Amino acid sequence: MWDLLGGMGKSRVIATMAFMLIEWGYSKVHIVIPIVALMNRDKEEFNDYWAKSDNSQKVEYHTNFNFKMEDGEIIISDEADHLMFKDPWAFFDKAKICPMISMTASIPQSLSSKIPLEE
């Protein structure tokens, strides 16, 4: 699991990583973002990126793990900490059988005492 500070460009890292994984031979990248608003934002923001690189059919966005995987596909999960706590069985069942890269964001240490971990 990769941990970056919030606001440090995790969405761009995920898109770049997805592009690299496709270039390295993965047939599809499933990007799981559990928050609908964030998923829609990223889909819209990177729509041209996927279209111009001819990868629109090779990237799928999801809000949970209720999708089928085929050989040669990989998952990148954003907000992985949220996904693990929201539905641990779905997260770990998928992680056991499918290649997965998980990303999460940390609260800057200067704010960590002011913001409860659950938030």
Side-chain angles (χ1 to χ4, degrees), residues 31-48:
I31 299 174
V32 181
I33 305 171
I35 301 162
V36 174
L38 292 178
M39 183 194 68
N40 289 337
R41 179 201 69 185
D42 285 7
K43 279 175 71 171
E44 185 176 324
E45 183 174 338
F46 295 105
N47 187 46
D48 287 344

Side-chain angles (χ1 to χ4, degrees), residues 9-116:
K10 189 166 32 103
S11 294
R12 286 184 174 86
V13 170
I14 289 170
T16 302
M17 194 179 307
F19 178 79
M20 291 170 56
L21 291 165
I22 291 166
E23 290 296 307
W24 289 341
Y26 283 93
S27 58
K28 185 173 284 188
V29 177
H30 297 271
I31 299 174
V32 181
I33 305 171
I35 301 162
V36 174
L38 292 178
M39 183 194 68
N40 289 337
R41 179 201 69 185
D42 285 7
K43 279 175 71 171
E44 185 176 324
E45 183 174 338
F46 295 105
N47 187 46
D48 287 344
Y49 184 64
W50 303 128
K52 289 178 182 175
S53 64
D54 292 325
N55 289 315
S56 294
Q57 301 300 313
K58 296 178 182 179
V59 177
E60 284 186 17
Y61 288 87
H62 311 274
T63 57
N64 57 49
F65 292 106
N66 295 329
F67 56 88
K68 290 186 66 166
M69 293 280 296
E70 303 288 333
D71 285 340
E73 298 178 354
I74 190 168
I75 300 168
I76 301 176
S77 65
D78 191 8
E79 309 298 342
D81 55 330
H82 178 80
L83 286 162
M84 283 189 288
F85 289 113
K86 180 181 175 186
D87 190 352
W89 299 118
F91 182 88
F92 290 110
D93 284 349
K94 205 63 135 188
K96 283 182 206 173
I97 60 170
C98 303
M100 183 188 304
I101 299 169
S102 298
M103 306 286 284
T104 190
S106 291
I107 299 168
Q109 194 161 4
S110 62
L111 296 175
S112 63
S113 62
K114 299 174 187 170
I115 302 172

